[in-house]
Amino acid sequence: MTDFQQEPNTTQKLLAALSYISYFFLPIIFPLVVWIVGADRAFIKRYAKRAFWSQLIPVIFILVLLLAIGITGSFNPSSISWGWMTIALVAIVGIVTLISLIYNLVNAVRVLVD
């Protein structure tokens, strides 16, 4: 029987849920450590990997948007249009981060309940 077919124990569920909840205390780092350390357990590996990527995507998004703001600001002489674009991009980053937070919380509860 594979690890997916076995019922995960409480410790495995707790580690998987903590990988999602780590959004508040050690985002990206905790799921990565759990993913590496729990590589022999398919259940833990699957959820730690999902938590890692769901926490890394907003960071990548922020870096790309900061780069876009920097490039736009250096080539655009009008500070008014640059300011509005910055406000819009910051709002988009906020929305993406909020969606990521909600996704992580819902999945943490789902792992614990199932």
Side-chain angles (χ1 to χ4, degrees), residues 11 21 30 42 62 65 75 95 101 104 112 114:
T11 306
I21 297 173
F30 187 81
I62 288 169
L65 289 180
F75 291 116
I95 291 170
L101 173 65
N104 279 288
L112 290 174
D114 287 344

Side-chain angles (χ1 to χ4, degrees), residues 12-63:
Q12 291 175 339
K13 285 185 175 185
L14 186 60
L15 277 173
L18 279 174
S19 293
Y20 285 114
I21 297 173
S22 70
Y23 201 91
F24 296 110
F25 58 91
L26 274 176
I28 301 171
I29 297 168
F30 187 81
L32 181 62
V33 170
V34 171
W35 184 9
I36 292 169
V37 172
D40 59 334
R41 302 283 184 197
F43 180 82
I44 294 173
K45 183 178 177 180
R46 183 176 82 192
Y47 288 109
K49 182 173 145 182
R50 287 182 184 177
F52 171 76
W53 284 108
S54 69
Q55 293 173 16
L56 185 64
I57 287 173
V59 173
I60 293 171
F61 199 75
I62 288 169
L63 293 175

Side-chain angles (χ1 to χ4, degrees), residues 65-110:
L65 289 180
L66 283 175
L67 183 65
I69 290 170
I71 291 172
T72 304
S74 63
F75 291 116
N76 190 355
S78 172
S79 62
I80 294 174
S81 63
W82 184 78
W84 282 107
M85 186 179 129
T86 302
I87 292 171
L89 292 177
V90 168
I92 292 170
V93 166
I95 291 170
V96 168
T97 304
L98 182 64
I99 290 170
S100 174
L101 173 65
I102 292 169
Y103 172 82
N104 279 288
L105 291 176
V106 166
N107 280 321
V109 171
R110 187 177 295 156

